[in-house]
Amino acid sequence: MDALRKQASKLREQVAKQQQAVIKQFSASGYESSEVMVIDEIEMQTHQQLEKLYRSTRSGRDFQKDLVKAAEAFSAVGYKHIEAGTKLSEDCSKYGVENAHDQILSKAAAIYGEARKHVEKEQEDLNKQLFNQVLEPLRAMMGGSPLEDARHLAQRYSKMRQDAEAQAVEISRRQARVRESPIPENVAKLHAAESRMHELKANMAVLGKEAAAALAAVESQQQRLTFQRLVAMVEGERIYHERVATILGNIEAEIVSDKQRKEAAPPVTPLNHSSEKTKYFLAEATHPFDAASEKELSLAVGDYIVVRKVNPSGWSEGECKGRAGWFPTAYVEKRQRIPTNYTAADVY
């Protein structure tokens, strides 16, 4: 019978050692998850609180890593965007200079080429904001000592809890030995195991409170900082897209307006100073008009113009002060009819 009892005792010891080895293997890199009550209900609550905080801070750190990876990717794409945009700006400006005869397309290319510089400046500003307001703060917190110190305290508590669980098994074993053989040696070993358990319990109470307070502080700071950095990223992207949209909108309006103005202006037709009979008349400018091209004729209120042609499009052709060109018909009023051989020089 004694032999069977000794064999059973050895078997329990082997099982306990194997259990502890498995626990250490799977929990060495983090906080052990366990539903076993090692000491009492208070300790169990502390254990569950630490487990929750440990998981929360780990999840928060993982999310910070995701934000950092995204910001790094946005920055990398941004630098490629700047490189491609700068090249396009140079090509557009070059085309505008070398193809000035094509007034519509070359002017549009020149306008767009100049505006691209402002677009790339906005991209540079976004990249700087991502680095200063997102990447640097998150990297600093992920590798900061408060987080690592708090997690280290939790891991120490987890290790101490494993020791207490193993010590509880040891006490059970010693108690069985005493029941089997209540000799002084076995009783002394039982008392030593219980004393060790008492020491572990006291240390766990202190360390548990310290670890819980440290993890709670880190969790609060982690969530607050991550929220702020996320808002900064969203705000930076919003401002970037709004400004770029404004720049591109102004470019489009300027290009289209310039094209429409050039297409609306009639071509210059040389004045006929030959003996061909043309019906001239004298007109006075009632509104000022600033010429936008060499084809047009600038007018000041009160100027007299020799009008030789009125176009149905709303433009008229004439001479004023030695210059010839086109002007809006609605900007002048007819004053008198003049003879066919009347020349522009006679007006002034």
Side-chain angles (χ1 to χ4, degrees):
M1 182 64 68
D2 291 339
L4 290 176
R5 288 176 179 176
K6 291 181 179 180
Q7 186 176 0
S9 178
K10 290 181 179 180
L11 182 60
R12 284 195 300 268
E13 290 180 3
Q14 291 176 357
V15 171
K17 290 180 180 180
Q18 291 175 355
Q19 288 177 343
Q20 292 304 313
V22 171
I23 290 174
K24 291 181 179 180
Q25 178 181 357
F26 287 98
S27 62
S29 59
Y31 190 86
E32 175 200 359
S33 177
S34 174
E35 299 298 329
V36 178
M37 183 181 297
V38 177
I39 298 176
D40 53 25
E41 184 65 28
I42 296 178
E43 188 283 325
M44 189 65 183
Q45 292 176 359
T46 300
H47 163 66
Q48 291 174 345
Q49 181 187 15
L50 288 175
E51 182 181 3
K52 180 181 178 181
L53 289 170
Y54 194 91
R55 289 179 177 177
S56 175
T57 54
R58 181 174 59 189
S59 177
R61 185 183 61 181
D62 290 343
F63 182 59
Q64 288 178 336
K65 289 181 179 179
D66 293 337
L67 290 179
V68 167
K69 288 180 181 178
E72 289 174 343
F74 290 158
S75 297
V77 172
Y79 286 121
K80 291 183 179 180
H81 187 283
I82 293 173
E83 182 180 356
T86 301
K87 180 63 167 59
L88 178 59
S89 174
E90 295 172 352
D91 293 341
C92 288
S93 298
K94 180 181 179 182
Y95 181 87
V97 172
E98 295 179 352
N99 298 273
H101 61 279
D102 182 4
Q103 295 186 2
I104 293 179
L105 180 57
S106 63
K107 183 63 177 298
I111 293 173
Y112 182 65
E114 182 64 26
R116 283 293 328 176
K117 297 178 182 178
H118 300 289
V119 174
E120 307 321 324
K121 177 61 169 58
E122 295 298 332
Q123 183 66 64
E124 289 181 0
D125 292 343
L126 176 60
N127 282 1
K128 290 179 182 178
Q129 184 184 27
L130 288 175
F131 181 80
N132 294 326
Q133 298 188 23
V134 179
L135 289 174
E136 285 294 279
L138 289 180
R139 286 170 177 168
M141 185 168 190
M142 286 190 301
S145 58
L147 175 61
E148 294 303 320
D149 292 345
R151 290 170 64 83
H152 181 64
L153 288 174
Q155 290 169 354
R156 282 179 55 196
Y157 182 88
S158 178
K159 176 62 170 61
M160 192 176 293
R161 193 171 193 273
Q162 294 172 23
D163 294 341
E165 189 173 350
Q167 192 65 21
V169 174
E170 176 68 12
I171 291 175
S172 297
R173 188 173 68 85
R174 293 297 176 185
Q175 288 173 343
R177 286 282 183 89
V178 169
R179 286 194 298 269
E180 294 171 1
S181 178
I183 60 177
E185 181 181 358
N186 289 342
V187 174
K189 289 182 179 180
L190 174 60
H191 289 167
E194 291 175 342
S195 177
R196 171 60 178 161
M197 188 64 170
H198 181 75
E199 181 183 351
L200 285 173
K201 181 179 178 180
N203 292 337
M204 287 174 63
V206 176
L207 183 59
K209 291 180 180 179
E210 184 180 356
L215 278 176
V218 168
E219 181 190 45
S220 177
Q221 181 188 18
Q222 188 182 62
Q223 293 185 358
R224 183 177 64 254
L225 177 64
T226 305
F227 177 81
Q228 292 172 350
R229 297 313 100 199
L230 180 61
V231 171
M233 179 182 289
V234 173
E235 183 181 13
E237 288 188 83
R238 176 185 61 79
I239 293 175
Y240 165 75
H241 288 295
E242 286 179 351
R243 290 180 177 175
V244 170
T246 299
I247 293 172
L248 295 178
N250 293 338
I251 295 172
E252 181 182 20
E254 184 177 359
I255 290 175
V256 172
S257 175
D258 184 73
K259 179 177 181 294
Q260 292 174 344
R261 183 178 59 80
K262 289 179 178 178
E263 290 179 343
V268 172
T269 302
L271 293 177
N272 188 355
H273 296 287
S274 65
S275 60
E276 180 183 353
K277 293 183 178 181
T278 306
K279 293 181 180 180
Y280 291 92
F281 66 86
L282 187 65
E284 181 181 356
T286 57
H287 296 81
F289 175 68
D290 294 327
S293 67
E294 295 180 355
K295 298 178 182 180
E296 298 172 357
L297 180 63
S298 295
L299 299 176
V301 176
D303 284 349
Y304 283 92
I305 310 100
V306 176
V307 182
R308 66 176 301 274
K309 181 184 295 186
V310 178
N311 195 291
S313 65
W315 289 80
S316 295
E317 182 188 27
E319 291 185 33
C320 178
K321 298 180 181 180
R323 295 186 69 254
W326 292 85
F327 54 88
T329 304
Y331 282 37
V332 302
E333 289 185 2
K334 185 177 179 180
R335 292 305 181 210
Q336 68 181 49
R337 195 179 183 94
I338 58 178
T340 304
N341 60 354
Y342 202 93
T343 64
D346 295 326
V347 177
Y348 38 82

